[in-house]
Amino acid sequence: MAKLVKLKTVIRKMELVDLYKLAGIHLGLATEAYAVLRGEAQQEVQGVTENKYRDEAADAVVTTVEILTEVAAKAINKARGTYITIESPALRQPPGPVHLALSRLLADTLKNVFAKIGLEAAAPVLVVGLGNWQATPDSLGPKVVGKMFVTRHLLQYAPGVLPAGTRPVAALAPGVLGITGIETAEIIAGVVSHLKPGLVIAIDSLAARNVTRLYSTIQIADSGIDPGSGIGNRRTALSRAEMGVPVLALGIPTVVPAAVIAMETLNSAGQRNRNLQGELGPPAIQAIISDLLAPFGGDLTVTPKEVDDLVTRTATLLAQGLNLALFPQLSPEDLAMLSA
Amino acid sequence: MAKLVKLKTVIRKMELVDLYKLAGIHLGLATEAYAVLRGEAQQEVQGVTENKYRDEAADAVVTTVEILTEVAAKAINKARGTYITIESPALRQPPGPVHLALSRLLADTLKNVFAKIGLEAAAPVLVVGLGNWQATPDSLGPKVVGKMFVTRHLLQYAPGVLPAGTRPVAALAPGVLGITGIETAEIIAGVVSHLKPGLVIAIDSLAARNVTRLYSTIQIADSGIDPGSGIGNRRTALSRAEMGVPVLALGIPTVVPAAVIAMETLNSAGQRNRNLQGELGPPAIQAIISDLLAPFGGDLTVTPKEVDDLVTRTATLLAQGLNLALFPQLSPEDLAMLSA
Amino acid sequence: MAKLVKLKTVIRKMELVDLYKLAGIHLGLATEAYAVLRGEAQQEVQGVTENKYRDEAADAVVTTVEILTEVAAKAINKARGTYITIESPALRQPPGPVHLALSRLLADTLKNVFAKIGLEAAAPVLVVGLGNWQATPDSLGPKVVGKMFVTRHLLQYAPGVLPAGTRPVAALAPGVLGITGIETAEIIAGVVSHLKPGLVIAIDSLAARNVTRLYSTIQIADSGIDPGSGIGNRRTALSRAEMGVPVLALGIPTVVPAAVIAMETLNSAGQRNRNLQGELGPPAIQAIISDLLAPFGGDLTVTPKEVDDLVTRTATLLAQGLNLALFPQLSPEDLAMLSA
Amino acid sequence: MAKLVKLKTVIRKMELVDLYKLAGIHLGLATEAYAVLRGEAQQEVQGVTENKYRDEAADAVVTTVEILTEVAAKAINKARGTYITIESPALRQPPGPVHLALSRLLADTLKNVFAKIGLEAAAPVLVVGLGNWQATPDSLGPKVVGKMFVTRHLLQYAPGVLPAGTRPVAALAPGVLGITGIETAEIIAGVVSHLKPGLVIAIDSLAARNVTRLYSTIQIADSGIDPGSGIGNRRTALSRAEMGVPVLALGIPTVVPAAVIAMETLNSAGQRNRNLQGELGPPAIQAIISDLLAPFGGDLTVTPKEVDDLVTRTATLLAQGLNLALFPQLSPEDLAMLSA
């Protein structure tokens, strides 16, 4: 009997996955996409592993999800690869001592990924800030680019100023398709073929399913950027296959799609009311949501009121962690001076 | 039997009103608050009248709701007074010929209100932009202030430059309580006692219940600003009783609270599924919503992605309408030149 | 003979003062205005005293100029009072350890002034940010206001949250005459009569004569704000006489008027070429400069290219120093958390 | 005798050119660079032609300077090519009827250049906004990019929406070397090799010698962008030789270098005082200026106070003219709607 209930829940959950697909909602976080797939029953999914540990100093939980097979990738609607999330409620608080620990945890995590990829100490790196700097929740990437310590031109035009072995780092915020008329991947591919970096790091704002994840989670993915995983309508992938070099994606959830809030409301109501489960099928749910969100539809997002502050703060932390990981020979104090 | 169903719907609707109150949600638009109260059954509410007409040139519907009694004011959760809404989907489109018609319709509507209030042609007017210019959806008021044609100082320091009889207009965006530590009404009261204007016009961003109202509706209310009707947490009223002079409130809905999206989802599900109605009472709904929106709670709002453009465009239109109404002796071309 | 040369230089310098007056240029810094008056001959001026000391930790020179008589005030074109400048080239560098020392030096200097004024530990303080947040070099005041730790409303609505004895602080950026139509002093007077603070602290961008002073000097003046000493066209004074409570002015030079660059060029040429001195009198100099700067005239200012960064950085430092001085019971770490 | 005086003036003028070169000042406007070379004596320079006409409706003077030989190019410090300037004081006034005429004059001028280059009606065009959007006077290029009607992606993803024959237009604001670590020309070259446009149009803020030119002059140059002609430190050329396709440069002077104001002051004093001419040679002038502008040196610029408004207004006009020229099948009204 307990088994039956479980099965029913799983079926309902699978419908939720289908609904997400129907609504064209692409969750940015692998842990969330995986959780939706697993359901409350927490049943394991073949081809996916998940590990967690806690970092006390940073008040953070670090979760590593590996999507190992194509079948699992399809089910979970994310590319194969390793997805690391650093979750800490401190991320959305005003800067304090925990933030230093968080930027160090991020730097250490990135250094591990660099080692795994085989990135050499002086290999050039290109940081790409995806998104639209004029739309606050989509401006995370451009803001991080503005706070990076960029060295490529200094090493070229003012050699000797920086310590020997300093990594050449370039950074670019190419803008969004609606403004440029050019796919971001097209612009980056041109620059990559010219700069020949050892690694591309792409920063993006992500869409989350759960409000608690907003501005509290950093995801690092070695699979690059999925088309459509960000909050803007990115249509093409930014991945090793396309770029010819490894691509690391770094993102923070900045919005929950309004359609997800509506779906999760029904999901939650369904859990409290068994009758609802049978009667409100996907077509009815679709109809309710599209009525509710017209005339804006998928363009409606849920954000906290203090979004301007939250994006600025989290961009600063991402840039600090990146700078620490990319320039191990410089102290945090030097980097604060150089990239302020 | 049909009567019974009606009654049931009305009862459920009344619960919705209570839920709004419980959740501390204060709808900015009187037409919406009135609609919630009336329910689908569209039954009349004593002490409230509603009239509509269509303006073809502006592709707009103009609705006037009058809340005549204290009992009605309490039920509808809005102060007694006249609330005029101008609704046009064109408002959120890029500027075009309809916008000229819309700004004229707004100016004519305002002139009628001025006449009703008995505002003299050369009486000074103080325009107040409520809200926080650093939080995009709350920046409508400050943006309008920035686009007003301000004349008070010109008439004082450069007399003769403006046509005889030009109205002295001043404008102020005092900032929000969280930044100033001072209630907006306290600041304005000080300025009003010094300037002694014939009228205060307060501009505010409003919270709507329905996504279709976002950036498509202008509300003009002679009752001033309710505490809490805007999207920021305004705690004190800005009304004739407080200021000693008539206060006109001008607002545009720029957000739907995320809690309202969740409520309306359940409401909509309930209309499709009679079983749900009986079983999901206010406490369960409260629990679902507060779980869903933690840890941000009431600070989560739903906005369209292009919120930056939409606020700028609608602020321009409000300023044009206000300038046309306040300076009848200046042509639209002159005003465009003077206030650009 | 040496005496004669000295005298001649002084005379020429006096003409420079006259030229400044003719051109309507009002130097914001008392040390500069005093230096112009003294001339290279460094002769003393009756009714003015000047003292200097060096603070090593902050890499700063602190100069106190006291203007003691009305005659001296007229000659120097600044109100009677005490003017303290903190000069440090570190102020315009990216944040580093020196900045902590600088913010402490500023806090200690302010605390001394508070003691001299007799400001009680729990007396309310109103911080006023003068200037226009939309014009970068004039946005210092509004930026500082945005970074202040504001407590008045917390003490009122959430008593018990802050330590006992925390000072009520309010902050306001009222905007500029051209946008509001109202003199800043009129707005502030209304707020002061309502709030009854023990002190008003007014923050303003200043015009300097010397490029080296830009973003490297903080001036604290107990005489309040002179009309016209800021870079915007402030027309009325913000002083104890007007407000009924002590007014402290805090400013940083953010621009040099283009006309001053032109004058100083001629002045410098004159020092190298004795013939020039006799031949280029004030009318010729006036003509040269007004030809050169037409059609913008006095509205042309000289700013460093990185003005956006410099204003943000110096605003942060002013706010830190103010917060430290106003809230001695809170640690720098707490304040960084609270006002970030 | 008159001849001798003339000669002397010309010699002094040549020294001025040398001084400009010494100070590393690169005038953005060919008409100004040419005027400096010609001197007041207005003597002709071999290898350069100049033609002027007046457009009454736009209150504008259109000047065409052709630099025909390498010798002339060297003397004038600008690349060989055709430089058209449209000068109108109305450009810096608030928008009015003249602006419509100005945008049409700009569009007609551009269409003539397109015809001369042989640009086909449906050939793709890439618009590049040079400069730094965070530094107001350098943000003209990025602002124009934000106002362009971009069609490349619409033609690709939504064919049929636009009239047949609509030109594919893409637009990019790649950022500045100090932020990206990559030369703008390197980024553009990658994009050009991928997009293969028929023409690149590069928008840049220019440095002027004369204050009257600020925000009143548009320059169109078929020689592309000189390294260093903009106000930011552009180090590499953006020209047909580098890109493999024609490059049109479109610019507006937004600053006068502070060093130029100082030089012109001395120049003007010299014209009034013959003694000065012989005595203040280039080394003395150099010394005066570098003393005066330390510690910022060449990074000091002269701008009008209302720079934010002026850049926004002129960016709008450039975008309107470009849109009219690139999309002859669309009406001004359609374009206003589409690119607002």
Side-chain angles (χ1 to χ4, degrees), chain A residues 142-191:
Chain A
K143 284 219 168 84
V144 171
V145 160
K147 289 164 191 279
M148 288 304 301
F149 179 41
V150 168
T151 55
R152 183 176 173 270
H153 62 309
L154 298 176
L155 294 165
Q156 202 169 335
Y157 295 115
V161 165
L162 292 171
T166 300
R167 185 193 296 283
V169 170
L172 194 66
V176 291
L177 180 64
I179 286 172
T180 63
I182 321 171
E183 291 288 355
T184 303
E186 294 179 284
I187 300 171
I188 301 305
V191 175

Coordinates of all heavy atoms in Angstrom, one line a residue, chain A residues 142-191:
Chain A
P142 N 27.2 40.7 -16.6 CA 27.9 42.0 -16.9 C 28.5 42.6 -15.6 O 29.6 43.2 -15.6 CB 26.8 42.8 -17.5 CG 25.9 41.9 -18.1 CD 25.9 40.6 -17.2
K143 N 27.8 42.5 -14.5 CA 28.3 43.1 -13.2 C 29.6 42.4 -12.8 O 30.5 43.1 -12.3 CB 27.3 43.1 -12.1 CG 26.2 44.1 -12.3 CD 25.7 44.7 -10.9 CE 24.9 45.9 -11.2 NZ 23.4 45.6 -11.4
V144 N 29.6 41.1 -12.9 CA 30.8 40.3 -12.5 C 32.0 40.7 -13.4 O 33.1 41.0 -12.9 CB 30.6 38.8 -12.5 CG1 31.9 38.0 -12.3 CG2 29.6 38.4 -11.4
V145 N 31.7 40.8 -14.7 CA 32.8 41.2 -15.6 C 33.4 42.6 -15.2 O 34.6 42.8 -15.2 CB 32.2 41.3 -17.1 CG1 33.1 42.1 -18.0 CG2 32.1 39.9 -17.6
G146 N 32.5 43.5 -14.8 CA 33.0 44.8 -14.4 C 33.9 44.8 -13.1 O 34.6 45.8 -12.8
K147 N 33.8 43.7 -12.3 CA 34.5 43.6 -11.1 C 35.7 42.7 -11.2 O 36.4 42.4 -10.2 CB 33.6 43.2 -9.9 CG 32.6 44.2 -9.5 CD 31.5 43.6 -8.7 CE 30.3 44.6 -8.5 NZ 30.5 45.6 -7.5
M148 N 36.0 42.1 -12.3 CA 37.1 41.2 -12.5 C 38.4 41.9 -12.6 O 38.5 43.1 -13.1 CB 36.9 40.3 -13.8 CG 35.9 39.3 -13.7 SD 36.1 38.1 -12.4 CE 37.7 37.4 -12.7
F149 N 39.5 41.3 -12.1 CA 40.8 41.9 -12.3 C 41.3 41.3 -13.7 O 41.5 40.1 -13.8 CB 41.7 41.4 -11.2 CG 43.1 41.9 -11.3 CD1 43.4 43.2 -11.8 CD2 44.2 41.1 -11.0 CE1 44.7 43.7 -11.9 CE2 45.5 41.5 -11.1 CZ 45.8 42.8 -11.6
V150 N 41.4 42.2 -14.6 CA 41.7 41.9 -16.0 C 43.1 42.2 -16.3 O 43.6 43.3 -16.0 CB 40.7 42.6 -17.0 CG1 41.2 42.5 -18.4 CG2 39.3 42.1 -16.8
T151 N 43.9 41.2 -16.8 CA 45.4 41.3 -16.8 C 45.9 41.2 -18.2 O 47.1 41.5 -18.5 CB 46.0 40.2 -16.0 OG1 45.5 38.9 -16.4 CG2 45.7 40.4 -14.5
R152 N 45.1 40.7 -19.2 CA 45.7 40.3 -20.5 C 46.4 41.5 -21.1 O 47.5 41.4 -21.6 CB 44.6 39.9 -21.4 CG 45.1 39.4 -22.8 CD 44.0 38.9 -23.6 NE 44.4 38.6 -25.0 CZ 44.4 39.5 -26.0 NH1 43.8 40.7 -25.8 NH2 44.8 39.2 -27.2
H153 N 45.8 42.7 -21.1 CA 46.4 43.9 -21.7 C 47.6 44.4 -20.9 O 48.5 45.0 -21.5 CB 45.3 45.0 -21.9 CG 44.7 45.5 -20.6 ND1 44.2 44.6 -19.7 CD2 44.6 46.7 -20.1 CE1 43.7 45.3 -18.7 NE2 43.9 46.6 -18.9
L154 N 47.5 44.3 -19.6 CA 48.7 44.8 -18.8 C 49.9 43.9 -19.1 O 51.0 44.5 -19.2 CB 48.3 44.7 -17.3 CG 47.1 45.5 -16.8 CD1 46.8 45.3 -15.4 CD2 47.4 47.0 -17.1
L155 N 49.7 42.6 -19.2 CA 50.9 41.7 -19.5 C 51.4 42.1 -20.9 O 52.6 41.9 -21.1 CB 50.4 40.3 -19.4 CG 50.0 39.8 -18.0 CD1 49.3 38.5 -18.1 CD2 51.3 39.7 -17.1
Q156 N 50.6 42.5 -21.8 CA 51.0 42.8 -23.1 C 51.6 44.2 -23.2 O 52.7 44.4 -23.8 CB 49.7 42.8 -24.0 CG 49.9 42.6 -25.5 CD 48.6 42.3 -26.2 OE1 47.6 41.9 -25.5 NE2 48.5 42.6 -27.5
Y157 N 51.0 45.2 -22.6 CA 51.5 46.6 -22.8 C 52.4 47.1 -21.7 O 53.1 48.1 -21.8 CB 50.3 47.6 -23.0 CG 49.5 47.3 -24.2 CD1 48.1 46.9 -24.1 CD2 50.0 47.5 -25.5 CE1 47.4 46.7 -25.3 CE2 49.3 47.3 -26.6 CZ 47.9 46.9 -26.5 OH 47.2 46.7 -27.6
A158 N 52.3 46.5 -20.5 CA 53.1 46.9 -19.4 C 53.8 45.7 -18.7 O 53.5 45.5 -17.5 CB 52.2 47.7 -18.4
P159 N 54.6 45.0 -19.5 CA 55.1 43.8 -18.9 C 56.0 44.2 -17.7 O 56.7 45.2 -17.7 CB 55.9 43.2 -20.0 CG 56.2 44.2 -21.0 CD 55.0 45.2 -20.8
G160 N 56.1 43.4 -16.7 CA 57.0 43.7 -15.5 C 56.2 44.3 -14.4 O 56.6 44.3 -13.2
V161 N 55.0 44.8 -14.7 CA 54.2 45.4 -13.6 C 53.6 44.3 -12.7 O 53.5 44.5 -11.5 CB 53.1 46.3 -14.2 CG1 52.0 46.6 -13.2 CG2 53.7 47.6 -14.8
L162 N 53.2 43.2 -13.3 CA 52.6 42.2 -12.5 C 53.6 41.1 -12.2 O 54.6 40.9 -13.0 CB 51.4 41.6 -13.3 CG 50.2 42.5 -13.5 CD1 49.2 41.9 -14.5 CD2 49.6 42.8 -12.2
P163 N 53.4 40.3 -11.1 CA 54.4 39.3 -10.8 C 54.5 38.3 -11.9 O 53.5 38.0 -12.7 CB 53.7 38.6 -9.6 CG 52.7 39.5 -9.0 CD 52.3 40.4 -10.1
A164 N 55.7 37.7 -12.1 CA 55.9 36.7 -13.1 C 54.9 35.5 -12.9 O 54.6 35.2 -11.8 CB 57.4 36.2 -13.0
G165 N 54.5 35.0 -14.0 CA 53.5 33.9 -14.0 C 52.1 34.3 -13.8 O 51.2 33.4 -13.7
T166 N 51.8 35.6 -13.7 CA 50.4 36.1 -13.6 C 49.6 35.6 -14.8 O 50.1 35.8 -15.9 CB 50.3 37.6 -13.5 OG1 51.0 38.0 -12.3 CG2 48.9 38.0 -13.3
R167 N 48.4 35.1 -14.6 CA 47.6 34.5 -15.6 C 47.0 35.6 -16.5 O 46.5 36.6 -15.9 CB 46.5 33.7 -15.0 CG 45.6 32.9 -16.0 CD 44.4 32.4 -15.3 NE 44.6 31.4 -14.2 CZ 44.9 30.2 -14.4 NH1 45.1 29.7 -15.7 NH2 45.1 29.3 -13.4
P168 N 47.0 35.5 -17.8 CA 46.3 36.5 -18.6 C 44.8 36.3 -18.6 O 44.4 35.2 -18.9 CB 46.8 36.3 -20.1 CG 48.0 35.3 -20.0 CD 47.8 34.6 -18.6
V169 N 44.1 37.2 -18.1 CA 42.6 37.1 -18.0 C 42.0 38.2 -18.8 O 42.4 39.4 -18.6 CB 42.2 37.1 -16.5 CG1 40.6 37.2 -16.4 CG2 42.7 35.9 -15.8
A170 N 41.0 37.9 -19.6 CA 40.2 38.8 -20.4 C 38.8 38.6 -20.0 O 38.4 37.6 -19.4 CB 40.4 38.6 -21.9
A171 N 38.0 39.6 -20.2 CA 36.6 39.5 -19.7 C 35.7 40.3 -20.7 O 36.1 41.4 -21.2 CB 36.4 40.1 -18.3
L172 N 34.5 39.7 -21.0 CA 33.6 40.3 -22.0 C 32.2 40.1 -21.6 O 31.8 39.1 -21.1 CB 33.9 39.6 -23.3 CG 33.4 40.2 -24.6 CD1 34.1 41.5 -24.9 CD2 33.6 39.3 -25.8
A173 N 31.4 41.2 -21.8 CA 30.0 41.1 -21.6 C 29.3 41.5 -22.9 O 29.1 42.6 -23.2 CB 29.5 42.1 -20.5
P174 N 29.0 40.5 -23.8 CA 28.7 40.8 -25.2 C 27.3 41.3 -25.4 O 26.9 41.7 -26.5 CB 28.9 39.4 -25.9 CG 28.8 38.4 -24.8 CD 29.2 39.0 -23.5
G175 N 26.4 41.2 -24.3 CA 25.0 41.7 -24.5 C 24.1 40.6 -25.0 O 24.6 39.5 -25.3
V176 N 22.8 40.9 -25.1 CA 21.9 39.8 -25.4 C 21.3 39.9 -26.8 O 21.4 41.0 -27.5 CB 20.7 39.9 -24.4 CG1 21.1 39.5 -23.0 CG2 20.0 41.3 -24.4
L177 N 20.8 38.8 -27.3 CA 20.4 38.6 -28.7 C 19.4 39.8 -29.1 O 19.6 40.3 -30.2 CB 19.7 37.3 -28.9 CG 19.2 36.9 -30.3 CD1 20.3 36.9 -31.3 CD2 18.4 35.6 -30.3
G178 N 18.5 40.1 -28.3 CA 17.5 41.1 -28.6 C 18.1 42.5 -28.9 O 17.6 43.3 -29.6
I179 N 19.3 42.7 -28.3 CA 19.9 44.0 -28.5 C 21.0 44.0 -29.6 O 21.2 44.9 -30.3 CB 20.6 44.5 -27.1 CG1 19.4 45.0 -26.2 CG2 21.6 45.6 -27.3 CD1 19.9 45.2 -24.8
T180 N 21.7 42.8 -29.7 CA 22.8 42.8 -30.7 C 22.3 42.2 -32.0 O 23.0 42.4 -33.0 CB 23.9 41.9 -30.1 OG1 23.4 40.5 -29.9 CG2 24.4 42.4 -28.8
G181 N 21.3 41.3 -32.0 CA 21.0 40.6 -33.2 C 21.9 39.4 -33.5 O 21.8 38.8 -34.5
I182 N 22.9 39.2 -32.6 CA 23.9 38.1 -32.8 C 23.8 37.2 -31.6 O 23.7 37.6 -30.4 CB 25.3 38.7 -32.8 CG1 25.4 40.0 -33.6 CG2 26.3 37.7 -33.4 CD1 26.7 40.8 -33.5
E183 N 23.8 35.9 -31.8 CA 23.9 34.9 -30.7 C 25.1 35.1 -29.9 O 26.2 35.3 -30.5 CB 23.9 33.5 -31.2 CG 22.6 33.0 -31.9 CD 21.5 32.8 -30.8 OE1 21.8 32.9 -29.6 OE2 20.4 32.5 -31.3
T184 N 25.0 35.1 -28.6 CA 26.2 35.3 -27.7 C 27.3 34.3 -28.1 O 28.5 34.6 -28.2 CB 25.8 35.0 -26.3 OG1 24.7 36.0 -26.0 CG2 26.9 35.2 -25.3
A185 N 26.9 33.0 -28.4 CA 27.9 32.0 -28.8 C 28.6 32.4 -30.0 O 29.8 32.0 -30.2 CB 27.2 30.6 -28.9
E186 N 28.0 33.0 -31.0 CA 28.7 33.5 -32.2 C 29.8 34.5 -31.9 O 30.9 34.4 -32.4 CB 27.7 34.1 -33.2 CG 26.6 33.2 -33.8 CD 25.7 33.9 -34.7 OE1 24.8 34.6 -34.3 OE2 25.8 33.7 -35.9
I187 N 29.4 35.4 -31.0 CA 30.4 36.5 -30.6 C 31.6 35.8 -29.9 O 32.8 36.1 -30.2 CB 29.8 37.6 -29.7 CG1 28.6 38.2 -30.5 CG2 30.8 38.6 -29.3 CD1 27.8 39.2 -29.6
I188 N 31.3 35.0 -28.9 CA 32.3 34.4 -28.1 C 33.2 33.4 -28.9 O 34.4 33.4 -28.8 CB 31.7 33.6 -26.9 CG1 30.8 34.5 -26.0 CG2 32.8 32.9 -26.1 CD1 31.5 35.7 -25.5
A189 N 32.6 32.7 -29.8 CA 33.4 31.8 -30.7 C 34.5 32.6 -31.5 O 35.6 32.2 -31.6 CB 32.5 31.0 -31.7
G190 N 34.1 33.8 -32.0 CA 35.0 34.6 -32.7 C 36.2 35.0 -31.8 O 37.4 34.9 -32.2
V191 N 35.8 35.5 -30.6 CA 36.9 35.9 -29.7 C 37.7 34.8 -29.2 O 39.0 34.9 -29.1 CB 36.2 36.6 -28.4 CG1 37.2 37.0 -27.4 CG2 35.4 37.9 -28.9

